[in-house]
Amino acid sequence: MTAAPPSEYVEQVLDVVDAIPPGRVMSYGMVAEVVRERTGSGSARTVGAVMARYGGAVPWHRVVAADGRLPPGHEDEATRRLRAEGVAFRGVKVAMNATRWWPGEPA
């Protein structure tokens, strides 16, 4: 069993995800990169672990795989929420080029 990420890391991940505007998405790796700039550590896997455990408190559906795949086991609900926000899709995946967002960019 893996140790839980430090609470500071969890807070940073949740803060980044909470800032993603409606209609935009970030990948797990993108979130990890922003958090790594702030804390000096982290990975896409760790972000995934944080989201699996604590993601219900933030707009979890706005965090997807780098190729646009939706959160495993939550694809239907994520698709529903993202489509309601106007997110573009290519088949069953999010169109990342059209919807990717970085903190500091306009929504």
Side-chain angles (χ1 to χ4, degrees):
M1 184 168 167
T2 340
S7 60
E8 176 189 348
Y9 189 84
V10 171
E11 297 278 333
Q12 289 292 325
V13 168
L14 297 178
D15 285 348
V16 170
V17 174
D18 200 37
I20 303 170
R24 304 301 293 271
V25 299
M26 291 180 76
S27 70
Y28 294 96
M30 292 169 70
V31 173
E33 189 173 326
V34 172
V35 173
R36 195 168 31 253
E37 289 173 4
R38 296 176 181 179
T39 67
S41 67
S43 69
R45 275 182 200 254
T46 308
V47 169
V50 169
M51 293 304 294
R53 191 165 193 178
Y54 306 102
V58 294
W60 58 268
H61 58 285
R62 297 182 190 146
V63 182
V64 300
D67 68 356
R69 280 179 295 120
L70 300 171
H74 303 283
E75 296 89 349
D76 291 343
E77 181 63 16
T79 298
R80 186 186 68 71
R81 290 179 183 211
L82 292 170
R83 286 194 189 280
E85 294 180 1
V87 169
F89 278 77
R90 290 182 181 229
V92 296
K93 295 180 180 180
V94 170
M96 293 298 286
N97 288 339
T99 59
R100 175 182 299 131
W101 179 79
W102 280 100
E105 286 183 354

